[in-house]
Amino acid sequence: MAELFKKYGYAPDKEAIDANLQTLSSKLEEIASKEVFLTCFSAMDLTTLKTNDTCEGVEKLVNKVNAFKKAYPSYPLPASVCVYSNFAKVVSTTRQTPELHTTCVSACFPSSQSFLPVKLLECEMAVKDGADEIDIVLPLSKFLAGKFDAVREELRAVRKTVDEAGAGRKITLKVILETGLLTPEQIAEASFISMEEGADFIKTSTGKIEVNATPAAAYVMCECIKAFNKATGKKVGFKPAGGVSTAMEAVCYYSIVKAILGDEWLNKDLFRLGVSRLANNLLSAIEGKTIVAF
């Protein structure tokens, strides 16, 4: 941990983070605008990850996105529809434009508790079925045991697998840290390891545990992205997920990204929101009336 912090010249400072978040929180109403809401809308990974998901239900969700584009032609599309791996083909064949990406949670989401060959096969099959983006959970059983070489080996194996399965297509890899189970220092360490091993995005949470996305975790992750960019020149994206349901919660994460990483990160290539309930709330905030499109 100390070695990584020294390498990137960064370690979390809880007092400074709390003070900065308090300042940002006081300015959210000033930041909120139709333009900001639209940016957040365009950054959404519209998500359904229920035990009772069906092909018909996933197809219905994608068709709602298809219908939305016709009803609101001036609005951007969400960045993607996010589903379990077995529904990759449903999304990729139902969408009316490749602009709407197919995102799959893979590698034995949400626990990441299985054999590595099983995880890799799931990632490979999802990509071959049309997934453009793969979200995996950091192998916390190894990370929390201090087996960092094994964590790195697994991430490298996933990166290699999705790249090969893509057969020339760019496959975006997001690594979920499950920050609700980690200290700020562990969040930073997990962020640096994930970025070093090829993550295109680092993501807060699965949405499947008690504590999911928090502004404090987001702040640490964004500071790590900034330090990594300064050291390597590489831009890694940030995705808060789990419990982001109101328009102002979206603005909170938007403001953290803006404050730390700047406007160049505020697009769907570098900023995402994992959402299942946010979409209608953002639309309602934009339109000034209740909208139920999803």
Side-chain angles (χ1 to χ4, degrees):
M1 185 180 295
E3 183 179 340
L4 280 173
F5 292 173
K6 182 178 179 180
K7 179 178 181 179
Y8 292 105
Y10 173 76
D13 181 336
K14 187 178 184 305
E15 287 188 7
I17 291 169
D18 288 346
N20 290 335
L21 284 174
Q22 188 172 357
T23 300
L24 284 174
S25 178
S26 69
K27 297 179 179 178
L28 291 184
E29 293 291 344
E30 301 172 22
I31 294 171
S33 67
K34 180 177 179 179
E35 181 181 2
V36 169
F37 292 143
L38 281 169
T39 297
C40 291
F41 186 87
S42 71
M44 292 188 311
D45 288 341
L46 193 60
T47 301
T48 181
L49 298 173
K50 302 189 296 291
T51 302
N52 61 342
D53 279 338
T54 62
C55 289
E56 293 76 15
V58 171
E59 184 177 351
K60 184 177 179 180
L61 177 61
V62 178
N63 277 326
K64 286 181 178 180
V65 180
N66 294 336
F68 174 81
K69 190 59 179 176
K70 295 175 183 176
Y72 296 86
S74 65
Y75 276 54
L77 284 173
S80 80
V81 171
C82 179
V83 294
Y84 284 112
S85 297
N86 50 306
F87 296 118
K89 188 170 288 186
V90 178
V91 178
S92 62
T93 58
T94 305
R95 64 185 179 180
Q96 293 182 344
T97 171
E99 180 187 349
L100 178 70
H101 282 192
T102 301
T103 296
C104 289
V105 292
S106 295
C108 301
F109 174 97
S111 68
S112 191
Q113 298 280 26
S114 191
F115 304 101
L116 181 56
V118 175
K119 297 180 185 182
L120 298 179
L121 181 59
E122 184 185 358
C123 292
E124 178 185 353
M125 292 176 71
V127 172
K128 288 184 174 180
D129 272 358
D132 305 294
E133 307 185 8
I134 295 293
D135 291 19
I136 67 166
V137 179
L138 187 81
L140 285 172
S141 60
K142 296 173 182 175
F143 180 83
L144 293 173
K147 298 177 180 179
F148 303 121
D149 287 342
V151 172
R152 289 179 179 276
E153 288 170 10
E154 182 163 323
L155 293 178
R156 282 197 295 271
V158 173
R159 177 78 267 178
K160 182 173 184 289
T161 295
V162 299
D163 287 343
E164 290 178 351
R169 285 194 297 128
K170 165 61 180 173
I171 306 300
T172 297
L173 178 63
K174 308 190 198 88
V175 177
I176 305 164
L177 308 186
E178 203 66 291
T179 54
L181 299 177
L182 306 177
T183 66
E185 290 75 20
Q186 288 173 323
I187 292 170
E189 185 173 27
S191 296
F192 287 131
I193 289 173
S194 299
M195 291 187 289
E196 286 187 342
E197 301 305 333
D200 297 303
F201 276 76
I202 50 176
K203 175 178 171 182
T204 60
S205 318
T206 61
K208 303 297 185 182
I209 65 169
E210 186 175 348
V211 178
N212 291 290
T214 65
Y219 205 97
V220 172
M221 292 168 71
C222 287
E223 288 196 312
C224 289
I225 291 170
K226 182 177 181 179
F228 185 76
N229 173 250
K230 182 179 179 181
T232 67
K234 297 177 183 178
K235 291 183 177 179
V236 174
F238 169 65
K239 178 179 175 180
V244 185
S245 60
T246 71
M248 291 310 294
E249 284 171 342
V251 172
C252 175
Y253 291 107
Y254 172 101
S255 71
I256 291 170
V257 173
K258 182 179 177 70
I260 299 172
L261 296 168
D263 290 341
E264 61 188 307
W265 254 262
L266 292 171
N267 60 75
K268 66 180 181 180
D269 293 331
L270 292 168
F271 175 50
R272 294 290 180 86
L273 292 157
V275 305
S276 58
R277 295 172 290 167
L278 176 64
N280 290 329
N281 290 331
L282 279 173
L283 288 172
S284 298
I286 294 166
E287 293 289 322
K289 60 183 179 181
T290 300
I291 302 292
V292 182
F294 300 101

